[in-house]
Amino acid sequence: MSRPLTLAEKVWRDHVVAPGVEKDGQRSPDLLYIDLHLVHEVTSPQAFEGLRLAGRPVRRPDLTIATEDHNTPTLEIDKPIADPVSRKQVDTLRDNAEEFGVRLHSLGDDDQGIVHVVGPQLGLTQPGMTVVCGDSHTSTHGAFGALALGIGTSEVEHVLATQTLPLNPFKTMAITVEGTLKPGVSSKDIILAVIAKIGTGGGQGYVLEYRGSAIEQLSMDARMTICNMSIEAGARAGMIAPDETTFDYVKDRPHAPQGADWDAAVEYWRSLRTDEGAEFDTEVVIDADALEPHVTWGTNPGQGVGLGESVPWPQDFADPGDRDSAERALRYMDLEPGTPMRDIRVDTVFLGSCTNSRMEDLRAAAGLIRGREKDPEVRMIVVPGSQKVRLQAEAEGLDQVFKDFGAEWRFAGCSMCLGMNPDQLAEGERCASTSNRNFEGRQGKGGRTHLVSPVVAAATAIRGTLSAPSDVLAAHPA
Amino acid sequence: MEPIIRHTGVGVPLRASNVDTDQIIPAVYLKRITRTGFEDALFSAWRRDPEFVLNQPAYSAGSVLVAGPDFGTGSSREHAVWALKDYGFRVVVASRFADIFRGNSGKQGLLTAEVEQAEVERLWKELETVPGAEVEVDLESRMVRCGAVEAPFAIDDYTRWRLMEGHDDISLTLTAEQDIVDYEASRAAFKPTTLPART
């Protein structure tokens, strides 16, 4: 019998087109087949241009799908995009999709939205697949037990031309999360705690596999949040073994296998779990029972603490690099060491992004704010991850809950996660954001970001300061 | 791709760890549809500070960036590599690189030389003591030299070979065309296709 394998190793094994060759003590990468290539307007224009210059076609348009998300406005989507540079980039994608025969969901189309929300929703993301996109948050699709990699534009061109990618082997890390999350604690808090524990470079060279009883209890939306931010720990990808929750999610979606294909697919998918006795290169354990809502205080996603804690003192960091980084972060964030996180007042709350903009996220936030009042000083923007999510939320009346609360209900896209469209923070503006990156200037020049879960975002919008749902339940009865 | 075997140029000490690609090139510059002309975008937020290292005349013509650990984290934007190259950098020296950034660099002929952090500290000291000092990076012997500092660097064999030969990936892969065709013939029937579109 062959040696026991991890989930990631199995998916890798099943996609090797040509193994690397050993020559003069050097091994070339394995050539892997790519099952699904997701494309958006920002990282693709130079790749299509490369194809044109070399006279190459897209090898498999039928394994490729494009959507407009990063530049698209979330208001007045029926008007031309105001920023001429954004408009040009979107128009370029439209021209390229037309010329190369790639399926595109444009602004205004019911299937338009953030590429990492659209793929799963259409049933195109399935267990055991290799999925790539010129976007680091491609790791999202690992929630289905797919090997999903963010790639650069040269690689986008490579996949368009060959449907393959030369890849060097990775190491494997098990992140075992055992126990049950307390009420008000969500999968966002799990991944923020993981990043705080292993650091923003802790996952480098690894594919992470999240496992354990706490992970098994999570819905697909919650699992996607975790895998999405694997990249924030520096990892190549993050994965979760497919189970009944996964199969139930995929079943009957537009591109799910049907009939006999479905049975064959499920039989294969069941075989993908990490074998008994398979060895991981590294193992990390997280106690779900002990987790609290988690928030960041700094300018990288590893700079976070429990909501009940305070802004740390830079001198408490043993590593000189971490100390410098903390000092710089506190200057940028305009925070004093020792300040309780709960005392930090925000100007804006952003609910959206490929991390937290799915139905479950919107339902959880709406559930908390229903019948309560927003802090009058706070602006809240709600941006569904896709038009389908928007339509579903409207069918459930969630849009009205948000509007009654005083939040802005927008059209789908990446929006304020990275401010490539008009949704940006002003200089010095402080934001509780359900997105994935609190980098300097990420949400707008001089903007200050605290990463939070959807329910912490909702509680913060009610109280005006960083808050847990339990704070709201205690002080603001609905 | 232009081969790179040995490079000598002015070293730029960048005393910062976790330099993410949003700092290397903010998202506002990603709207362009060209592959060149990003030199103005490099570190554009930091360059507004007159004290920033690239605003100091001794370093402004630098081509070897010496940075803190975890360089290139965050977004996968290859524009970060284009901006570094367009500015004139051929080498980045650091003790740890983010995976996607390192991959993108290898494809564009930007050498990422992984050096122990203690050696990075010595390089910083040397470059700050002698502003404008040159750093020699030798891919053949995998050594970085600057003044009295001489340090080995790590880079994977395959990337090193490709950089030294100047090979581009697509033409290398297309030599395996028959393997791709054979693999496609063996793919499971239940795998999804995006066309015809179902919604």
Side-chain angles (χ1 to χ4, degrees):
Chain A
M1 201 184 120
S2 55
R3 85 181 164 88
L5 296 176
T6 63
L7 161 64
E9 289 167 334
K10 289 182 185 184
V11 178
W12 184 284
R13 173 200 63 194
D14 291 350
H15 288 85
V16 174
V17 168
V21 185
E22 196 89 35
K23 204 171 76 181
D24 307 332
Q26 303 175 12
R27 189 183 162 82
S28 60
D30 289 349
L31 189 64
L32 262 66
Y33 200 78
I34 303 303
D35 290 321
L36 179 65
H37 187 186
L38 305 160
V39 173
H40 62 84
E41 76 275 13
V42 179
T43 54
S44 65
Q46 294 89 352
F48 283 112
E49 182 64 16
L51 291 186
R52 220 168 355 246
L53 290 173
R56 292 175 176 136
V58 172
R59 183 186 180 89
R60 295 295 301 264
D62 62 331
L63 303 182
T64 310
I65 185 169
T67 171
E68 300 164 2
D69 55 8
H70 284 63
N71 279 275
T72 50
T74 56
L75 289 169
E76 303 186 311
I77 62 165
D78 50 335
K79 296 202 176 133
I81 299 175
D83 175 357
V85 193
S86 285
R87 191 167 67 232
K88 173 91 180 153
Q89 199 165 54
V90 169
D91 285 345
T92 302
L93 178 62
R94 291 176 186 176
D95 293 345
N96 285 329
E98 172 84 29
E99 179 181 343
F100 290 93
V102 171
R103 171 177 171 187
L104 169 67
H105 292 291
S106 280
L107 192 60
D109 177 320
D110 277 357
D111 281 300
Q112 178 266 342
I114 306 176
V115 69
H116 308 308
V117 179
V118 168
Q121 168 183 289
L122 284 169
L124 285 167
T125 303
Q126 296 174 15
M129 289 172 64
T130 46
V131 179
V132 299
C133 175
D135 189 285
S136 57
H137 290 112
T138 309
S139 56
T140 310
H141 308 265
F144 292 80
L147 181 63
L149 306 166
I151 58 178
T153 297
S154 292
E155 291 169 309
V156 171
E157 182 182 341
H158 192 283
V159 175
L160 289 172
T162 70
Q163 204 57 36
T164 65
L165 207 53
L167 290 167
N168 282 312
F170 51 83
K171 294 179 285 184
T172 54
M173 185 186 298
I175 297 186
T176 306
V177 191
E178 293 288 0
T180 304
L181 295 174
K182 288 193 281 253
V185 182
S186 67
S187 67
K188 181 67 164 281
D189 303 307
I190 294 180
I191 188 61
L192 286 173
V194 167
I195 299 163
K197 181 163 180 153
I198 71 174
T200 53
Q204 271 169 33
Y206 287 93
V207 172
L208 315 181
E209 182 181 332
Y210 305 96
R211 56 215 312 256
S213 54
I215 301 294
E216 288 162 18
Q217 292 166 45
L218 296 175
S219 69
M220 289 312 296
D221 283 2
R223 292 180 189 183
M224 283 189 256
T225 300
I226 293 190
C227 288
N228 171 277
M229 287 189 71
S230 302
I231 187 68
E232 267 60 65
R236 204 72 180 94
M239 300 176 86
I240 294 173
D243 59 11
E244 295 304 322
T245 304
T246 323
F247 309 151
D248 288 348
Y249 180 99
V250 174
K251 193 166 173 50
D252 299 329
R253 290 196 178 259
H255 286 276
Q258 291 171 354
D261 277 347
W262 173 259
D263 298 334
V266 171
E267 191 188 337
Y268 172 64
W269 296 344
R270 285 191 202 284
S271 75
L272 293 172
R273 304 187 73 85
T274 291
D275 290 326
E276 198 71 39
E279 281 182 28
F280 290 91
D281 297 299
T282 305
E283 299 206 40
V284 172
V285 178
I286 302 273
D287 178 5
D289 296 294
L291 285 180
E292 298 289 337
H294 207 91
V295 290
T296 61
W297 49 265
T299 55
N300 75 55
Q303 292 176 321
V305 290
L307 188 52
E309 296 174 52
S310 298
V311 177
W313 296 84
Q315 56 265 42
D316 290 347
F317 290 93
D319 179 82
D322 289 347
R323 202 178 310 143
D324 290 350
S325 173
E327 275 173 10
R328 187 186 166 94
L330 293 184
R331 257 198 315 277
Y332 182 84
M333 293 295 289
D334 191 27
L335 290 173
E336 287 296 323
T339 308
M341 294 306 294
R342 274 193 168 83
D343 288 357
I344 297 173
R345 215 183 145 78
V346 306
D347 307 298
T348 294
V349 171
F350 171 61
L351 176 56
S353 87
C354 59
T355 310
N356 283 122
S357 63
R358 298 178 177 81
M359 279 315 300
E360 186 173 294
D361 303 315
L362 301 191
R363 286 184 191 127
L368 195 66
I369 66 174
R370 184 179 281 116
R372 294 194 170 86
E373 282 179 25
K374 182 171 70 62
D375 180 292
E377 302 295 312
V378 171
R379 76 165 166 154
M380 182 177 187
I381 300 175
V382 184
V383 183
S386 68
Q387 280 299 95
K388 277 276 161 70
V389 169
R390 181 182 151 100
L391 293 170
Q392 175 66 26
E394 290 180 351
E396 295 180 19
L398 302 187
D399 59 323
Q400 205 50 51
V401 174
F402 288 116
K403 286 184 211 163
D404 290 347
F405 181 68
E408 299 174 39
W409 177 246
R410 300 289 188 91
F411 288 92
C414 302
S415 181
M416 196 181 266
C417 174
L418 83 172
M420 282 191 76
N421 74 348
D423 308 338
Q424 296 178 16
L425 295 181
E427 185 102 32
E429 196 174 349
R430 189 179 296 282
C431 180
S433 177
T434 64
S435 58
N436 40 58
R437 290 186 177 138
N438 50 346
F439 297 157
E440 290 179 25
R442 167 90 175 175
Q443 295 193 287
K445 201 175 85 179
R448 301 180 175 126
T449 305
H450 296 275
L451 300 177
V452 299
S453 72
V455 285
V456 169
T460 301
I462 294 164
R463 289 169 59 84
T465 51
L466 292 174
S467 301
S470 56
D471 301 330
V472 170
L473 298 173
H476 303 256
Chain B
M1 196 165 87
E2 204 184 320
I4 174 168
I5 295 169
R6 194 169 294 106
H7 174 79
T8 305
V10 170
V12 178
L14 182 63
R15 279 192 185 263
S17 56
N18 261 300
V19 176
D20 58 76
T21 54
D22 273 78
Q23 304 315 316
I24 299 173
I25 180 168
V28 60
Y29 294 99
L30 309 189
K31 298 181 182 185
R32 297 178 184 171
I33 57 169
T34 58
R35 207 163 192 146
T36 54
F38 288 93
E39 57 277 359
D40 58 324
L42 180 70
F43 295 125
S44 70
W46 291 354
R47 271 158 80 184
R48 283 197 294 271
D49 171 6
E51 300 292 303
F52 182 63
V53 65
L54 287 181
N55 290 331
Q56 299 170 33
Y59 301 112
S60 63
S63 65
V64 180
L65 186 65
V66 183
D70 298 320
F71 189 85
T73 53
S75 154
S76 63
R77 57 190 70 165
E78 195 163 310
H79 310 66
V81 177
W82 302 337
L84 284 160
K85 279 198 69 192
D86 289 349
Y87 184 90
F89 285 106
R90 294 303 310 275
V91 184
V92 183
V93 177
S95 64
R96 271 204 314 259
F97 290 95
D99 288 328
I100 297 178
F101 176 82
R102 185 174 30 211
N104 288 342
S105 297
K107 292 184 183 2
Q108 292 298 320
L110 179 73
L111 169 57
T112 51
E114 206 173 287
V115 168
E116 292 286 334
Q117 183 57 25
E119 304 289 356
V120 170
E121 305 272 352
R122 292 174 63 205
L123 286 167
W124 279 341
K125 207 163 276 174
E126 182 71 28
L127 292 172
E128 284 163 355
T129 313
V130 191
E134 291 199 325
V135 179
E136 184 194 76
V137 184
D138 185 344
L139 197 47
E140 182 100 61
S141 63
R142 304 183 203 224
M143 292 296 289
V144 177
R145 298 183 190 90
C146 178
V149 184
E150 191 159 339
F153 69 84
I155 185 165
D156 75 88
D157 293 333
Y158 180 70
T159 304
R160 173 174 172 264
W161 169 74
R162 275 191 33 252
L163 286 171
M164 291 178 68
E165 300 286 329
H167 281 310
D168 102 85
D169 268 354
I170 294 180
S171 51
L172 281 174
T173 294
L174 289 175
T175 63
E177 171 66 19
Q178 193 53 49
D179 293 325
I180 302 175
V181 170
D182 292 346
Y183 183 89
E184 285 180 324
S186 73
R187 288 179 80 231
F190 59 74
K191 295 268 185 178
T193 58
T194 58
L195 299 172
R198 293 190 240 149
T199 59

